[in-house]
Amino acid sequence: NFLYNSKERGRVIGRMMQNVILCRKFKVKMVIGCFANGRSLDNKTLQSFGRFLSMTGKEARDAVSFKKGKNFGVKFEKWGGL
């Protein structure tokens, strides 16, 4: 919803595209997900968004099929904050 109604939409999407380039350069794994309350998007839609952000097909598939803890080789724990 933020991107739909934002006047800064172009700038935000441009920064996302730059982040993809930086992640690729420094070999950082990427994750695509929909974190809106009460809404979920299918994998094809998320992959399409990844392709729109200049990810390769394999990068978009891997970013959508992320499995917690498995892909990064680390155990994720809840962070309690400050």
Side-chain angles (χ1 to χ4, degrees), residues 13-81:
I13 291 176
R15 288 179 179 165
M16 290 172 140
M17 293 170 95
Q18 288 176 343
N19 286 338
V20 169
I21 293 168
L22 287 172
C23 287
R24 190 178 295 135
K25 178 179 179 178
F26 293 104
K27 297 182 170 86
V28 175
K29 294 193 179 194
M30 298 173 270
V31 177
I32 301 174
C34 179
F35 304 104
N37 290 335
R39 181 173 181 180
S40 68
L41 298 174
D42 63 306
N43 286 352
K44 290 286 185 187
T45 303
L46 294 173
Q47 283 180 20
S48 296
F49 186 65
R51 296 285 296 163
F52 172 75
L53 294 176
S54 72
M55 287 183 176
T56 64
K58 182 176 180 348
E59 287 172 338
R61 269 191 310 276
D62 291 346
V64 169
S65 65
F66 170 77
K67 297 286 186 251
K68 188 174 174 181
K70 181 179 179 184
N71 292 43
F72 291 109
V74 295
K75 183 177 179 184
F76 286 90
E77 296 179 13
K78 281 194 171 183
W79 180 60

